[in-house]
Amino acid sequence: MTSTRTRSSISLVFLALLAGCAAPAEPDPAEDTGVESQSLECDRECIRAMVNKHLSLMGELGDERTYEASLRELRAIGPEVVPAAVAAYRTWSLSAPPDPAEPARPGEMRWRAVHLLGTLGFREAIRSLDAIAASALPEPGPDTDEKLFADEFRVRLRAIAGLENLGAVAELRAIHARGDLLRTPAAASLHALGIDVGGVRFVDMKKALAEDVADATDASPNAGRPPQPDTPGSPEFRVTPRSDTPTLAR
């Protein structure tokens, strides 16, 4: 009887050992993607290189996954990215003349840098965004490059959007109080943050289109004229001024 119990115990131990050997091993830890450790390993030059790479990705349409991955990596580094983005903005400053050989104008690259400052989510960028929005636009005039003016205006609009994204209410109020070309955009951003400073009215486009009815009495230079060819460049296309066209009182 004793020997039988002994054999049974040995068999149970042996089966337990077999079961232990057959059990699946503990899963390996998840592979480190490098995003978390990036803040420890990426020095200033590394961060600048990552920022420049991200700015170039902003011109690659249709590659959203790569763009979002790059943005996550920059956010994982932390607020140290902000000075690098500001440095990129300054690199593409107004003093840099447009180079026809470059794939993007300096104004476009400045817009991208400002966009990055506003989308990183770090409040350390507020001061720089506010300074960009407050910087003077090129003086309008007959010699002003319209494309240059448009680029610089877009840059400042993007700075206001970044301030809105970061909830910079005080800065947006100050921009609105200045009363220049950025007054209305600042009011719109404040409205989006739940602060109504007046001068902003949002229109429901579906409702507006449904209620839009053409008025036959509207003064139109083309009213009552025979149909004209649809192609402005064709020899048959003629625009003859009408003698009964209403004029505005001066």
Side-chain angles (χ1 to χ4, degrees), residues 39-206:
S39 59
L40 300 177
E41 299 176 0
C42 202
D43 59 12
R44 182 178 301 177
E45 292 305 315
C46 167
I47 295 174
R48 286 196 177 191
M50 291 179 66
V51 165
N52 289 331
K53 176 185 175 183
H54 184 82
L55 296 182
S56 66
L57 283 174
M58 293 178 70
E60 300 293 332
L61 300 180
D63 196 0
E64 291 296 324
R65 294 183 62 182
T66 304
Y67 169 81
E68 291 295 337
S70 174
L71 187 58
R72 286 195 300 271
E73 290 175 354
L74 289 173
R75 285 171 173 165
I77 293 175
E80 293 81 3
V81 178
V82 171
V86 172
Y89 174 85
R90 289 173 177 166
T91 298
W92 295 97
S93 65
L94 269 174
S95 61
D99 185 352
E102 292 291 338
R105 300 186 306 277
E108 166 67 19
M109 298 306 295
R110 285 155 60 83
W111 183 91
R112 295 184 191 184
V114 176
H115 188 285
L116 177 59
L117 282 170
T119 54
L120 284 170
F122 300 127
R123 293 187 63 81
E124 287 80 358
I126 290 178
R127 182 177 178 182
S128 296
L129 289 169
D130 185 40
I132 292 169
S135 58
L137 284 163
E139 286 294 329
D143 299 328
T144 303
D145 186 334
E146 292 184 4
K147 186 175 293 186
L148 173 64
F149 185 87
D151 281 345
E152 293 309 310
F153 190 64
R154 287 178 65 234
V155 165
R156 284 151 185 80
L157 290 179
R158 191 67 245 178
I160 289 178
L163 292 171
E164 175 191 326
N165 189 51
L166 296 173
V169 172
E171 287 76 9
L172 289 170
R173 283 187 180 276
I175 294 171
H176 178 264
R178 287 203 304 267
D180 55 16
L181 289 174
L182 300 179
R183 177 184 176 87
T184 300
S189 288
L190 286 167
H191 191 283
L193 294 174
I195 302 170
D196 188 2
V197 292
V200 177
R201 184 173 66 91
F202 288 92
V203 178
D204 185 338
M205 293 305 298
K206 290 184 178 180

Side-chain angles (χ1 to χ4, degrees), residues 21-42:
C21 293
E26 289 293 326
D28 293 329
E31 182 180 357
D32 185 4
T33 60
V35 173
E36 294 299 330
S37 61
Q38 192 73 52
S39 59
L40 300 177
E41 299 176 0
C42 202

